[in-house]
Amino acid sequence: MQHLVDTNDFNDSQLIQIMNDAKAFKTKMPSKILEDKLLITLFFESSTRTRSSFEVAAKRLGASVVHLDPSKSSTNKGESLEDTFENLAAMEPDGVIIRHEFNNTPKKLANKALTPIINAGAGNNAHPTQALLDCFTMMEHFGVDKPEELKGKKLAIVGDIVSSRVASSGIRLFTRLGLDVILVAPKPFMPNNDLPQYEDLNDVIEKVDVIMSLRAQLERHKAPIFEDYNEYANKYCINKERMGNREILLLHPGPVMRNIDISDEMLEDKRSKVLEQVKNGVFVRMAILKLILDN
Ligand code: ASP
């Protein structure tokens, strides 16, 4: 049974297939190849882009989608997550798309092998579909056909890296593909790993091809880390002054905290591909659903 707990669930040829299919779907909408399939979405944390993107992707391929709102489900009556999941699986869906605050929830459910699990974001540990759509957006930008051709590109991840599942999945995928990943953050936002780490973006901006800006994940901070995010923005906000005329691709998974993560002006700039990422997310998720469900 194929799951997507993190991108290492896909081998290299599956990664290539996803990128090829996403590209083909973006050029020409496919027929409804998942017409007889049904997915259940189970989001225990808020979502704007990911949940709607999965639903649009499923419907573009003809699949049906049932949403369970956990705040109105029996988890409120004390039912465990495992029991809720087993009851949903008993209805024989073709897959469950789950977002949860705990890092290991998708893996735990996948291990039951009752139905394919697609991780739509777990704690600060993994958000594989975001990493895959970011990979697609970079490939499109650099005009390459295979993920491995991104090898050697320099990507700076800037912001609240330690709390970010986007960064966690991204770092695993992009280092696997051979990108040079550089981390830029103030100390409280820096994870503990052996990638190159900088506190000041100015020290690396000359050599980077891509900047991925990240939101401060206030909901994951046990106590407020900065009293004043304008002070943080003075050093880390991606604005025109900082970018200059450099040809750098600017990414952000959303939601963007305007003028803290990225300035209004840079969001309008053609180097910013934030909405293109959202658009690509649908095609990449279509390709993922095809790979997992159309067997
Ligand atoms: N949307 C992304 C996530 O779910 C990033 C964010 O929330 O800042 O992790």
Side-chain angles (χ1 to χ4, degrees), residues 45-47 49-50 99 120-121 123 127 130 164-166 214-217 219-220 252-255:
E45 285 191 340
S46 327
S47 171
R49 278 149 292 273
T50 307
R99 168 169 286 194
H127 194 346
Q130 181 72 43
S164 169
R165 53 192 170 212
V166 173
L214 298 173
R215 179 178 68 92
Q217 310 259 314
E219 72 278 22
R220 290 187 210 290
H252 191 298

Side-chain angles (χ1 to χ4, degrees), residues 166-181:
V166 173
S168 304
S169 273
I171 288 170
R172 285 190 288 269
L173 178 65
F174 307 144
T175 52
R176 167 179 166 190
L177 297 175
L179 283 93
D180 293 335
V181 180

Side-chain angles (χ1 to χ4, degrees), residues 38-194:
L38 185 139
L39 287 158
I40 299 181
T41 63
L42 190 53
F43 277 61
F44 288 87
E45 285 191 340
S46 327
S47 171
T48 302
R49 278 149 292 273
T50 307
R51 185 181 138 178
S52 48
S53 179
F54 266 116
E55 182 164 357
V56 172
K59 291 190 171 165
R60 292 271 191 229
L61 293 175
S64 318
V65 183
V66 171
H67 293 296
L68 179 70
D69 178 353
S71 68
K72 298 197 180 80
S73 77
S74 290
T75 37
N76 270 351
K77 303 181 192 164
E79 186 174 58
S80 73
L81 168 70
E82 281 86 350
D83 283 340
T84 302
F85 171 69
E86 283 178 19
N87 279 270
L88 294 177
M91 298 177 201
E92 303 192 329
D94 297 287
V96 169
I97 301 172
I98 182 155
R99 168 169 286 194
H100 198 265
E101 67 190 299
F102 294 154
N103 289 354
N104 63 348
T105 298
K107 183 76 196 156
K108 212 159 68 181
L109 302 184
N111 285 344
K112 292 180 183 284
L114 296 173
T115 188
I117 291 290
I118 301 175
N119 181 359
N124 69 350
N125 179 55
H127 194 346
T129 59
Q130 181 72 43
L132 291 165
L133 77 89
D134 291 341
C135 175
F136 181 84
T137 306
M138 287 192 276
M139 287 171 61
E140 193 174 50
H141 174 80
F142 293 113
V144 302
D145 289 329
K146 291 196 179 139
E148 73 226 34
E149 290 173 69
L150 291 173
K151 187 172 177 174
K153 295 288 179 208
K154 292 187 174 26
L155 162 72
I157 304 182
V158 181
D160 187 1
I161 304 168
V162 73
S163 315
S164 169
R165 53 192 170 212
V166 173
S168 304
S169 273
I171 288 170
R172 285 190 288 269
L173 178 65
F174 307 144
T175 52
R176 167 179 166 190
L177 297 175
L179 283 93
D180 293 335
V181 180
I182 302 163
L183 309 182
V184 182
K187 284 210 174 73
F189 284 175
M190 193 63 92
N192 190 2
N193 61 30
D194 47 20

